[in-house]
Structures are given as structure tokens and as C-alpha cells.
Amino acid sequence: MDTTEFRKRGKEMVDYIADYFEQLEERQVYPDVEPGYLRPLIPDSAPQEPEGFEDVLKDVERIIMPGVTHWHSPYFFAYFPTASSFPALLADVLSGGLGCIGFSWAASPACTELETVMLDWLGKMINLPEEFLAGKDGEGGGVIQGSASEATLVTLLAARTKTIRRVQSENPELTEADIMSKLVAYASDQFCATLGTTPCCSFDRLLELGPICNKENIWMHIDAAYAGSAFICPEFRHLLNGVEFADSFNFNPHKWLLVNFDCSAMWVKKRSDLTNAFKLDPLYLQHCHQESGLVTDYRHWQIPLGRRFRSLKMWFVFRMYGVKGLQEYIRKHVKLSHEFENLVLQDKRFEICAEVTLGLVCFRLKGSNELNEALLKSINEARKIHLVPCHLREKFVLRFAICSRTVESVHIQFAWKHISELATELLNA
Amino acid sequence: MDTTEFRKRGKEMVDYIADYFEQLEERQVYPDVEPGYLRPLIPDSAPQEPEGFEDVLKDVERIIMPGVTHWHSPYFFAYFPTASSFPALLADVLSGGLGCIGFSWAASPACTELETVMLDWLGKMINLPEEFLAGKDGEGGGVIQGSASEATLVTLLAARTKTIRRVQSENPELTEADIMSKLVAYASDQFCATLGTTPCCSFDRLLELGPICNKENIWMHIDAAYAGSAFICPEFRHLLNGVEFADSFNFNPHKWLLVNFDCSAMWVKKRSDLTNAFKLDPLYLQHCHQESGLVTDYRHWQIPLGRRFRSLKMWFVFRMYGVKGLQEYIRKHVKLSHEFENLVLQDKRFEICAEVTLGLVCFRLKGSNELNEALLKSINEARKIHLVPCHLREKFVLRFAICSRTVESVHIQFAWKHISELATELLNA
């Protein structure tokens, strides 16, 4: 395929995606396929000779689409949102086209420098303490990780290295293995300090945990994977109070801030804590500026070596929505979750199971777990909307998460009417 | 931005990328910017009000492009190649548009099932032993990781869990901590068994290592990050002989097989070794098919929870190039590296420092390390081509890697003439 054909096919693909979004509401949100459906539909092995784009695109509709769960359908209320916006899609096309691998400053200076500045922009948007920002010559700074799990792993390893060195400097007679065998990591049943847990969007009390961690020399990492995006709204920022005690903080703009997956933002107060743990310097990765103190080599901040130019999509989204546009987006979702909450509260057969703070409503029929399992089964089997459950203190609970960029009141009303009718059928059965 | 504007802007972006590739040869391969160049060019914080796409795109040319290292320029010979092809770019647009997160089968069945089948296709292309394939009911199978580092980490953790369980079943009196403290991982100075090392593309002797590992119950992981793509050509497949002794094998189609980053392919003989180490099952991630034995939940195969629909780009590339097209591509690169090798061999001032097997030539001026450092400096400062060095047994060596999809003999000839002239200047200085 040469550039002439790419121009043609690229534009066809853009139209395909635009059509997809325009017709998304008509597609069944959850697929009908059974495990193993795909293998019989395609050949056993790759073709020897090239095939045309048109044949491949035809197969997307025939083979792929019947097996897709439509995460961006306005009838999708499962898990948590995953971001999708047109500015992010456009930026990803650019990122893919440039195709640079930013493991060091020299490997593509723009890739590293835009990332550092975008993490500062985002840190300011949520009013993070100055110490977490890179600024012109700060000791802290931000980095894009692939996921909150990777951010947790990276900070855990950094905390381990830092603690071992501290203990060793205080007790030179101890070996690394001695110290390692005594290390302890504290976590809640959601792990590490969490703002906005997955089951029910609950919040740990940072103002109580933080001072203890600081006093006892414990590295404090805060994971606000879903909830973090809401902190760009002043009325939700108080949920982040106490972050000033933390060593590291992480949330996922790829969940609720319209920056397509993957984009997990992580900040540390001392970047040297990361580079001490991860520094890897074979000659082929070195460059003349690396010891200048002026540059960031992000390979020392993460598990993988390679990295894509992901800050472009933050830049496109932040500029093309503006902070006000992003705040409106968050507020719309929170408003819709309260709309659903109110519908549930008006029906005496149901109960709300956790405080509704952001875009998640946990609810259930008053009654047994089996009854609620049956309700969820009938909801998901009807294929009109899609939800997933959770356990809250042994209770089987339905989670209703506001997810889609295009979800409106009409979809909330439809979903509730549908759930309510299925409940009636179930209770009358 | 609505779908109407996305159609317009998406097509403009496709044209921008096509233009970029058409004019890439004229762009300076390595940028002139100094550390910190970008921050003064953009505002301190995100705008409150939305800006237009045109303003953003103008800034791409003004702010980003001056700081880009052009990895796909035909004058880029640094590191190893990173893949770029139009079919992969098109597939990534589709993947971004669908925006599903395939952590479980149910989260998007097509995402999981296409990945399993594509890893089978690719495994067959390199003639991996049947045990590594998923097939209809195999015990093995493949998965896409983000990078070879992640693949190594995942297999290391799986090996640890497997070994602890084995030792514990043989010695029930031992605790997990007892066993853990005695575990040993063996590695060469490139870590784990490696086919195609980064400094000089050397190969470990699998046929010697493999039987020892098997006899001693040692998990053997093979990393062929760069070289693996070449195994689709029968004439290079012998380099993989001995893989039959391995427990896990990994290479990066995102390096040399035209599947854009990230796409690191990893196979295991026993998928249960991974799922035993990583299984994570909160209720909100469970689904009714998961205990059926029929489905794969890839969240148990990796560190992150979320995952993009990356197998689409394998599918598009394999079909639109065909195996023959991909073989031709590999062979062209290997031919070009031998062309460069021959040019070096004809100049008695230079020496070749490692056997040229695939697309990498390690060479140096006969003389001191300082002399070769000076040569590399003058090459990179001239900005006509871009190379990086390595150390081979204390010697400072220049690496010439065939990287770009569009590199041809004319660029090799130019690069050599340029290097040769700079060497003359240096030796006459």
C-alpha cells in the first residue's frame, strides 16, 4: 500500500468509524456469540499472497462486529467508563504515523518534553501540590503509565529500593536480603490507598492515613484510577485532600477524561526515587544530554523500555475541550447517576447500597442474593443494556456506571424502566 | 466535535500523515533542539475554553515536529527498527474507534478470540512447535504483551509460582518464604536466553541450554525481540532450533514485522502456568463462561488489567502483505545490511565487529575507542543519518541497523559515502 492508497483507505476508515458512532445506538450492546465463535470463521493460517483492504474491511463487519461488546454504546453501564473522544482518536492517528519510541529524551525529544508538560497541566487541573510537578526545575514530575496496575507495581518497586537503602544506611551490617525479608506492604482489601474503589466508588481517609505513613517512613501511594478525573471540578476536589502526604499519586484519564486508553497518569514527589530503582544504561541507549540534569529519560520510570507518543492525545483533548468542557462532561455524568439514583429511591422494592458520589450507583432488590443474581441475569440476557455486579459485605449488588460519552437522560430513563419491568416479571414469576 | 467534523478532521489528519511519509526523506532525521526547548513554546496550563483543530494542527508543525527524531526516515539506522505500515495504521484507527477493553472474554469476545487465532497464525509462520499453539483445545497459546520486558517479567513471575508450588509439594514442611529465599534465576549478560541481542544481534545456543534446563526443572524463557520476525523465512528458521526445550518464547512483531508498536508476541506451552500466577477474580470481572474451559481471559496473562484490541493490526498486516510479502520485506533488509557490510569490508581503515546475520552491522575504525567515539559524534552532529553505538568486549562499536520500511540501496550507498568522508576528515585532522 503506497501513500496514495493510504489516503483513500484512511478516509474510508474514518468514515467507517464515524458511521459506527452514528449507528452505535442501534447495535446490540452485548454480543450473542458463544465461546469459540471466531475460529471457524477465518482460515487456519495466514494467507501466502496479499489480500485487498476491501476484503479485510468486509470481514470486520462479518467476523469482528458480531463479537464486540460496545463499550461506547449509550446502553453500556458496566465496569467503569473507558474514554473515547474524537480529539484523542485524531491524536492517536498522528502518534501512530510518527511512530517514535520515546524511551529516552534523545529518542524523540518532543515525545518526552510534551509528556512532562502535559502531566504538569493535568496536575494543575486537579490542583496537585506543587511538589508533584516537574516545573522548570522541580524534583517531582509526572509520567504516563499503561495502567494503574503498572503504576502500583512501579511505585512498589521504587518504595522497596528506597526503603532498603534507607535501612542499609542506618544499619550497614544488614544485607539486602536481610532487609528484603522483613519488608511489609500495607493495603486495604482494595490495595493501597484508594480514591474511588471499583466495586462501589468508596474513598479511603487520606487525612488519617497520610500522617501515619509520613511518621513511620512508609511510602504512600494513592490510586484514584476512576475518580481522579472528577478532581478537575472544584466541588469534588476535597476528595483528594490529604494527597500532600503521599509519595506518589495515580489516576487514569483513559477512564473518565476523554483521553483514549491507554493513558494512566502518575506523579511522584521525588523522581530520583524512580530512577534509583529502574535505571538501566547500556551504551546504545545513552545520549550526550543524559547526565546534564536537564532531561528526563522515561525508560527509568517504567517497566517497559519502549513507549508511544501518548501525550499527544492529552494535548489534543485538553485544548479541544478546554478545562470548562471537561468539567461539564464530568458534571453531566454525575448528574445522570443521581438521576438514576432517584429513580431507584422512588421504587420501594429496591435499595441503594453505597453513597453515590460520582458516576456509579450500587443498587439491589431488597431480598436474597439469588434474587438479585436472577435480576442481573435477566437484564444481561435481554441485551438491551449491560451491567456487571459486585459484592459489598457479602451482598450481591448491581453496579450501574455512567459510561458512554453520548449517554443522555433518555437512556437513563429507558434503562430504569427496563430494569423495573424485569424486576416485576421476576417478582411475579 | 461531532461525527461530521470528525469526518472532515480525520481525513485532514490522514492527509497530514500521508504528506509526512511522502516528505519524510527531506526532514532532518535527528532534531536540533536542546533540552527544555518545548516548555517555553506552550502555555503554562491547559486552556479554559476550547480551541479549534486547526490551531492544534498548526502547533504540531511549529512545536512538535522540530523535536521529533524521525524513526521512519530512510536515514535512520539507530537502535533497532520499530514497525510502521499503512495496514497497521488503519487497523489502529479501527481499534481506537471500537475502544473496547479486552480484559476478559466477555468484555469483548472478538478482541480475545482474534488475538488467540492471530498468535496461532504467527506461531505457524515461524514454525513454532505445536505445543505453543492454542488450537481448538491445546494447553498452550499466545498473547500480546506491550513489550519484551513485560513478557520477561510475566514469565519470571510465572516461573517463580510454578517452582514454589513444585518444591512445596515435594517438601510440605517448607514455607513459601523458605523456598523464595533460595530461588535463583540464571541469565547471560543480556538476560535470559536471547536470540538476536541488542548490541550485536548474537544468538545463545538453545540446543545446549535447553536440555540442561529441562533436566534441572528450570523454566526456560527465550527472548528474540528483534530477530524473531526473521524466522518467518525458512533460511533463518534454524536460528530458532531448540525452542522445543523452552517453556515460553517471545518476539516483537512491532520491531520488524510491520505491526506498529506495541505488539510483543509471547507464547507458553502451558497456559495454566500463567493463570496460576496471575489469576484475579473480583465479581465485577467474572462472567458465566469463565469456568467453562472454553474461553481465555487475558487479564490472567499479564500485569495490566486493561488491554486494547491489538490483534486487529496483526490481522490487517498479515492479510494485506501476505506471508510472501512479509518474507520479501525481511529479505530486503538483510540484503541491505550485507550491502553495507561489503562496503565496510572494502575499506581497509574499518573492521566488522560481529557476524552479520540479519539487519545489523557492527563496525568501527581500526583504532582507539576515542577515535570511534569521535567518528560517531561527527556522524550524529552532521544530522544526515542517525546511528547509536554499543560496547563489544570493551570496544566502542558503531551499530548500523537497517530500520526504515522505505530504505533502499541508494540510502545505504549515501550513508556509507558520508561515513567514509567523515572518517577521512577525522583521520586527516
Side-chain angles (χ1 to χ4, degrees), chain A residues 38-326:
Chain A
L38 186 138
R39 193 178 284 273
L41 298 178
I42 68 176
D44 269 351
S45 52
Q48 290 296 308
E49 305 290 340
E51 300 179 52
F53 175 75
E54 274 157 358
D55 293 330
V56 178
L57 195 60
K58 235 179 272 167
D59 280 349
V60 168
E61 204 51 57
R62 187 175 68 89
I63 297 170
I64 303 300
M65 284 301 180
V68 171
T69 303
H70 298 289
W71 281 64
H72 305 289
S73 160
Y75 299 112
F76 182 93
F77 304 103
Y79 313 109
F80 268 141
T82 186
S84 172
S85 72
F86 292 129
L89 287 177
L90 293 170
D92 260 351
V93 175
L94 178 60
S95 170
L98 292 179
C100 55
I101 303 295
F103 45 65
S104 69
W105 181 86
S108 215
C111 179
T112 293
E113 296 207 7
L114 187 67
E115 184 163 331
T116 306
V117 176
M118 284 306 103
L119 272 288
D120 274 4
W121 277 22
L122 185 56
K124 288 177 188 170
M125 281 160 67
I126 59 170
N127 202 12
L128 265 193
E130 185 87 16
E131 295 161 276
F132 284 104
L133 307 184
K136 262 187 77 170
D137 44 19
E139 287 180 29
V143 61
I144 302 174
Q145 301 282 350
S147 68
S149 315
E150 283 168 83
T152 304
L153 179 60
V154 163
T155 51
L156 194 66
L157 296 174
R160 187 177 72 175
T161 302
K162 185 176 191 170
T163 306
I164 289 173
R165 292 192 185 184
R166 178 175 56 75
V167 176
Q168 213 159 25
S169 75
E170 294 163 2
N171 307 276
E173 75 284 4
L174 294 179
T175 67
E176 195 172 313
D178 289 337
I179 302 167
M180 188 95 93
S181 69
K182 296 216 159 60
L183 295 180
V184 175
Y186 297 90
S188 78
D189 59 359
Q190 320 292 335
F191 198 78
C192 77
T194 306
L195 300 179
T197 57
T198 304
C200 64
C201 200
S202 62
F203 291 80
D204 280 335
R205 295 179 190 173
L206 301 186
L207 292 167
E208 294 177 24
L209 288 171
I212 299 170
C213 291
N214 287 186
K215 185 167 161 251
E216 303 292 340
N217 253 326
I218 296 169
W219 181 299
M220 179 167 164
H221 175 68
I222 301 174
D223 177 348
Y226 162 69
S229 299
F231 305 153
I232 65 166
C233 299
E235 68 271 31
F236 299 119
R237 173 57 177 77
H238 68 95
L239 294 166
L240 186 59
N241 288 348
V243 70
E244 56 275 19
F245 297 109
D247 297 280
S248 52
F249 171 69
N250 162 246
F251 86 91
N252 292 349
H254 71 227
K255 280 206 164 64
W256 201 12
L257 208 60
L258 294 162
V259 183
N260 286 35
F261 189 87
D262 53 338
C263 180
S264 181
M266 181 182 108
W267 292 265
V268 286
K269 274 189 188 156
K270 289 202 186 304
R271 61 172 82 187
S272 57
D273 289 340
L274 294 180
T275 52
N276 284 341
F278 289 97
K279 200 160 183 180
L280 173 78
D281 258 338
L283 187 60
Y284 51 83
L285 295 181
Q286 293 175 20
H287 56 91
C288 60
H289 289 294
Q290 70 175 23
E291 301 302 334
S292 67
L294 296 171
V295 305
T296 297
D297 287 331
Y298 275 128
R299 71 178 180 281
H300 305 312
W301 296 53
Q302 61 175 17
I303 304 288
L305 178 60
R307 51 203 335 271
R308 286 169 293 127
F309 200 159
R310 289 173 293 193
S311 56
L312 284 173
K313 58 191 173 190
M314 300 175 79
W315 197 41
F316 276 46
V317 167
F318 297 164
R319 293 182 66 179
M320 294 174 72
Y321 276 89
V323 174
K324 283 187 184 167
L326 294 169

Side-chain angles (χ1 to χ4, degrees), chain B residues 377-393:
Chain B
K377 192 160 182 277
S378 72
I379 292 170
N380 282 333
E381 284 182 0
R383 301 282 199 267
K384 302 280 187 197
I385 60 176
H386 187 44
L387 310 187
V388 294
C390 70
H391 276 139
L392 292 180
R393 292 183 208 86

Side-chain angles (χ1 to χ4, degrees), chain B residues 59-226:
Chain B
D59 280 349
V60 169
E61 203 53 55
R62 186 175 69 88
I63 296 170
I64 303 302
M65 282 302 178
V68 171
T69 303
H70 297 290
W71 281 63
H72 305 290
S73 159
Y75 298 111
F76 182 92
F77 303 105
Y79 314 111
F80 268 141
T82 186
S84 172
S85 72
F86 293 129
L89 287 176
L90 294 170
D92 260 351
V93 175
L94 179 60
S95 170
L98 293 179
C100 55
I101 303 295
F103 47 63
S104 69
W105 181 85
S108 214
C111 180
T112 294
E113 297 207 7
L114 187 67
E115 183 163 332
T116 307
V117 177
M118 283 305 104
L119 271 288
D120 274 3
W121 276 23
L122 184 57
K124 287 178 189 171
M125 280 160 69
I126 59 170
N127 202 13
L128 265 192
E130 185 87 17
E131 294 162 276
F132 284 104
L133 307 183
K136 264 187 76 170
D137 45 19
E139 288 181 28
V143 61
I144 301 175
Q145 301 282 351
S147 67
S149 314
E150 284 168 83
T152 304
L153 178 60
V154 163
T155 51
L156 194 65
L157 295 173
R160 187 176 73 174
T161 302
K162 186 176 191 170
T163 306
I164 289 173
R165 292 193 185 181
R166 178 175 54 77
V167 176
Q168 213 160 24
S169 77
E170 293 162 4
N171 307 276
E173 75 283 5
L174 294 179
T175 68
E176 195 171 311
D178 291 335
I179 301 168
M180 189 95 91
S181 69
K182 296 217 159 57
L183 293 181
V184 175
Y186 297 89
S188 78
D189 59 0
Q190 321 288 337
F191 199 77
C192 78
T194 306
L195 299 179
T197 58
T198 304
C200 63
C201 200
S202 61
F203 291 79
D204 281 333
R205 294 180 190 171
L206 302 186
L207 292 167
E208 293 177 25
L209 289 169
I212 299 170
C213 291
N214 287 185
K215 186 168 160 249
E216 303 291 340
N217 253 326
I218 297 170
W219 181 299
M220 179 168 165
H221 175 66
I222 300 174
D223 177 347
Y226 162 69

